[in-house]
Amino acid sequence: MNDATPAPASATAPAPSRRARVRAPELIGKGGWLNTGDTSYTLADLRGRIVILDFWTFCCINCLHVLDELRELEEKHRDTVVIIGVHSPKFVHEAEHQAVVDAVERYEVHHPVLDDPELATWKQYAVRAWPTLVVVDPEGYVVAQHAGEGHAHAIARLVEELEAEHAAKGTLRRGDGPYVPPEPVATDLRFPGKALVLPGGNLLVSDSTRHQLVELAPDGETVVRRIGNGERGFGPDSFSEPQGLALLPDGRVIVADTVNHALRAYDPATGAIETVAGTGRQWMQGSPSAGPALEVALSSPWDVAWWAGRVWIAMAGVHQLWTYDPATGTVEVAAGTTNEGLVDGPAAEAWFAQPSGLAATEDRLWIADSETSALRYVEREEGEEREEGEGGADGGGADGGFVIRTAVGTGLFDFGHRDGAAAQALLQHPLGVTALPDGSVAVSDTYNHALRRYDPSTGEVTTLATDLREPSDAVLVGEDIVVVESARHRLTRLRLPDEAVRVEAVAHRTRRAATDVAPGALLLDVVFTAPGGQKLDTRYGPSTRLLVSATPPELLADGGGAGTDLSRELVLAEGVTEGVLHVSAMAASCDDDPANEYPACHVHQQDWGVPVRVTESGTSRLGLVLAGLDA
């Protein structure tokens, strides 16, 4: 970024005070309402309140980020704003009502949720991406739409404008909202995430929803002690939805403190908790991705593993693997580009999609890549042998001779439960992977409620156990395997079976209505309206970024790749009648006040996967809203 560049045509100026008047469609969901005390609501019932619709699905890390972004706004404007989560599933499991009930508790959603398993309201609002936020004014009109993360500040400003405007008109109604908290349930664990066997034989479990670690006796049931005060926070005795655990050679345990965007070190001998990486703030595009560990932001680290002399981090929030070196106190990117998808090859060029589970063997680091429903691994390229302890940029970084390969899985849209040859086997959003003594690996196949096995020697996938409830991790204890049954709030001990369980094969594909597009030229227009009082930050060059690709790649004859203009002409290839356009957009805006030497700046970003069908009657323009309204 060197020269100031005019804003792209699609990146419009701040919205005028006179807003478009678009009546908000009704809220419909076959699954009904949660967090309302069994009361159903219509938009008419909410008239006089500012309504923020949050279209989310609980598999989506970006959706979880937005839940956290909205917490402060939700509390500050509780008497004027009603946030409604419209749960719109991607995976089959997410359409199960009880799974939504569990997710609402798991992620501490403190507002009403409409369970919309058939995407009825999603379609009415023409939503194209998870997450999407829609603001409805007190008179029932849509006034803004935002896709992706980083919009909380813009929505907060809009809320203040709407409060003032409708208070003056007499159309603002203050008071308690419709949220009714569910009754708490007493269990020793509540949605545990990951587990670790301590050297003395006890089990350490991340009790994610209670923001603690829990040490259990070898029976997996008796509580020995709790670590952390149980309050969400980033203090010396608190965590925020911790997940992954890894034992260091010095006996300390590295904890992926997921929602604090940090790594913590816990010493079982002393009970001390120390932050070793992360700033407590979420990494955003343009931030440093290497350097002193306590000065570099992280993004939803979900699991950790000690391998090749370093701590490897499944950085779910940015679809990458990072490493942390305790010896030098530094972090850096190890693999991945931040683009979401399934692309193998050299570590620096690979694509991941919410890597959420890690397991180390001598020559491989196994990865549960959840959003691609894939089992993948890292290994050294041939001829890249190094001594133990050599990691990082010369052994753990993206240029350190590592390559990414896929064992099971094909991409973002295919999933299911099918055993057999790995090339055609299917998983559904796995969160954990465990190395087994015979060289195979067990996969916590979370949304299939199963424990699966992949054998590299035969290339076969089998099922070890079913009737688990959202298994998220497993650890070996002697000849048994102990599974973290997250949605049953317990650890379950299983004897590793000699024979596989036979299951009926089920294949699924993410189903969203395809957009009919005309053959040939297609104008891609990402709409971005800078929030009121802000402008695009062009002081150091372009403040926008657009990356376009397709599945299959042959769908695009021209227009793929990276650029800075949010509007671009694509050319669809002849002979390819359907596919998915992958669009990633980013815009940076800053306070528009010349007198402010250090204006506050914000990054808005979103990835879309848009299914398209090529037909003569299709549209020649594809509009995607990053922020604002598409005219």
Side-chain angles (χ1 to χ4, degrees):
M1 295 184 180
N2 297 313
D3 303 316
T5 302
S10 52
T12 59
S17 58
R18 183 178 178 83
R19 299 186 181 89
R21 302 284 283 178
V22 179
R23 178 64 71 178
E26 193 50 82
L27 305 177
I28 305 168
K30 188 176 181 180
W33 289 81
L34 306 175
N35 283 354
T36 63
D38 295 327
T39 299
S40 298
Y41 286 90
T42 66
L43 283 175
D45 298 327
L46 303 173
R47 197 77 79 236
R49 310 297 291 273
I50 300 164
V51 177
I52 300 173
L53 303 178
D54 177 14
F55 290 87
W56 70 299
T57 189
F58 63 79
C59 72
C60 163
I61 191 66
N62 310 94
C63 299
L64 303 186
H65 290 167
V66 167
L67 284 176
D68 290 309
E69 288 178 2
L70 293 176
R71 292 187 196 278
E72 181 179 349
L73 181 147
E74 185 172 29
E75 183 59 35
K76 182 178 180 180
H77 299 275
R78 186 170 293 279
D79 66 333
T80 59
V81 171
V82 175
I83 297 176
I84 295 176
V86 183
H87 190 267
S88 312
K90 171 186 174 181
F91 289 98
V92 169
H93 169 59
E94 293 174 305
E96 297 176 14
H97 182 69
Q98 184 58 47
V100 182
V101 173
D102 289 344
V104 167
E105 180 188 351
R106 181 195 299 266
Y107 298 115
E108 296 184 318
V109 180
H110 292 165
H111 51 250
V113 172
L114 176 64
D115 182 10
D116 183 18
E118 297 176 345
L119 302 181
T121 299
W122 166 288
K123 294 170 185 174
Q124 287 292 312
Y125 281 82
V127 174
R128 295 184 183 274
W130 296 280
T132 291
L133 298 167
V134 177
V135 182
V136 180
D137 74 11
E139 294 179 285
Y141 291 93
V142 174
V143 293
Q145 181 172 325
H146 302 264
E149 304 178 45
H151 301 293
H153 70 286
I155 292 177
R157 184 183 180 99
L158 176 58
V159 164
E160 292 173 355
E161 292 176 358
L162 291 171
E163 286 177 339
E165 176 185 338
H166 288 273
K169 292 173 63 176
T171 51
L172 183 69
R173 177 167 57 91
R174 295 180 180 271
D176 293 335
Y179 170 65
V180 178
E183 290 293 325
V185 181
T187 53
D188 287 332
L189 300 174
R190 205 69 191 163
F191 298 104
K194 305 289 185 180
L196 174 73
V197 181
L198 293 170
N202 284 354
L203 293 158
L204 187 66
V205 183
S206 55
D207 197 18
S208 301
T209 297
R210 294 219 175 104
H211 315 296
Q212 290 181 314
L213 309 181
V214 178
E215 185 175 338
L216 301 174
D219 62 9
E221 297 180 3
T222 306
V223 175
V224 175
R225 57 177 161 171
R226 297 182 181 276
I227 299 96
N229 59 22
E231 299 292 328
R232 180 192 294 272
F234 195 37
D237 192 30
S238 57
F239 300 95
S240 188
E241 298 181 31
Q243 287 285 341
L245 307 167
L247 189 66
L248 293 180
D250 64 8
R252 293 183 300 160
V253 175
I254 291 292
V255 182
D257 196 3
T258 304
V259 179
N260 277 328
H261 309 294
L263 299 187
R264 318 293 289 280
Y266 163 63
D267 189 340
T270 66
I273 301 169
E274 176 188 8
T275 301
V276 295
T279 63
R281 297 183 301 276
Q282 182 186 342
W283 186 94
M284 300 296 283
Q285 290 288 349
S287 302
S289 55
L294 292 172
E295 298 175 14
V296 177
L298 309 182
S299 182
S300 297
W302 207 274
D303 203 6
V304 282
W306 179 258
W307 187 66
R310 301 219 167 168
V311 175
W312 286 66
I313 310 165
M315 201 72 79
V318 285
H319 318 299
Q320 290 181 311
L321 304 180
W322 288 37
T323 59
Y324 161 64
D325 185 351
T328 61
T330 57
V331 293
E332 64 182 341
V333 176
T337 64
T338 76
N339 297 320
E340 184 178 15
L342 194 156
V343 175
D344 288 341
E349 301 171 13
W351 292 21
F352 298 94
Q354 287 179 220
S356 301
L358 300 175
T361 62
E362 183 176 351
D363 58 351
R364 288 179 177 175
L365 179 70
W366 293 93
I367 308 157
D369 201 29
S370 62
E371 279 293 285
T372 55
S373 298
L375 173 65
R376 306 174 72 185
Y377 58 92
V378 187
E379 65 179 0
R380 296 192 191 278
E381 292 183 296
E382 293 185 10
E384 290 290 340
E385 296 297 328
R386 287 184 173 81
E387 295 296 326
E388 177 69 18
E390 291 185 8
D394 294 311
D399 298 318
F402 289 108
V403 63
I404 312 301
R405 306 192 195 282
T406 297
V408 182
T410 59
L412 287 165
F413 302 100
D414 293 300
F415 59 93
H417 191 154
R418 186 164 63 200
D419 288 332
Q424 57 84 52
L426 294 171
L427 309 170
Q428 187 181 180
H429 198 80
L431 291 178
V433 60
T434 308
L436 300 179
D438 63 357
S440 66
V441 290
V443 179
S444 296
D445 194 6
T446 309
Y447 287 4
N448 279 327
H449 310 300
L451 190 67
R452 312 286 292 283
R453 176 177 178 264
Y454 168 69
D455 186 349
S457 67
T458 64
E460 293 287 312
V461 175
T462 54
T463 297
L464 296 176
T466 58
D467 193 31
L468 302 168
R469 186 69 186 171
E470 292 192 16
S472 55
D473 196 20
V475 292
L476 288 173
V477 179
E479 296 183 355
D480 296 338
I481 189 165
V482 175
V483 180
V484 179
E485 275 198 274
S486 188
R488 281 200 177 113
H489 320 293
R490 70 187 189 192
L491 304 187
T492 298
R493 185 182 295 263
L494 304 173
R495 179 58 56 93
L496 277 172
D498 295 326
E499 296 183 4
V501 177
R502 292 189 178 275
V503 295
E504 183 178 350
V506 179
H508 301 290
R509 186 167 176 81
T510 299
R511 283 298 176 193
R512 282 177 286 161
T515 299
D516 288 341
V517 296
L522 175 66
L523 177 63
L524 172 63
D525 198 6
V526 175
V527 177
F528 177 74
T529 302
Q534 294 190 8
K535 64 178 180 179
L536 288 172
D537 180 19
T538 58
R539 293 171 297 165
Y540 307 108
S543 60
T544 55
R545 185 189 70 168
L546 182 65
L547 177 69
V548 181
S549 62
T551 302
E554 296 77 20
L555 175 65
L556 276 180
D558 194 21
T564 58
D565 196 329
L566 292 181
S567 184
R568 182 187 303 182
E569 184 173 281
L570 310 179
V571 179
L572 304 179
E574 293 184 14
V576 183
T577 59
E578 62 180 6
V580 178
L581 289 174
H582 303 283
V583 180
S584 177
M586 183 274 288
S589 63
C590 297
D591 292 342
D592 187 9
D593 182 359
N596 188 350
E597 185 178 358
Y598 302 104
C601 298
H602 305 273
V603 175
H604 317 255
Q605 60 188 53
Q606 174 60 18
D607 297 333
W608 291 267
V610 183
V612 296
R613 181 171 51 237
V614 182
T615 175
E616 292 293 340
S617 60
T619 181
S620 58
R621 176 186 178 271
L622 177 61
L624 301 175
V625 177
L626 179 59
L629 292 174
D630 188 1

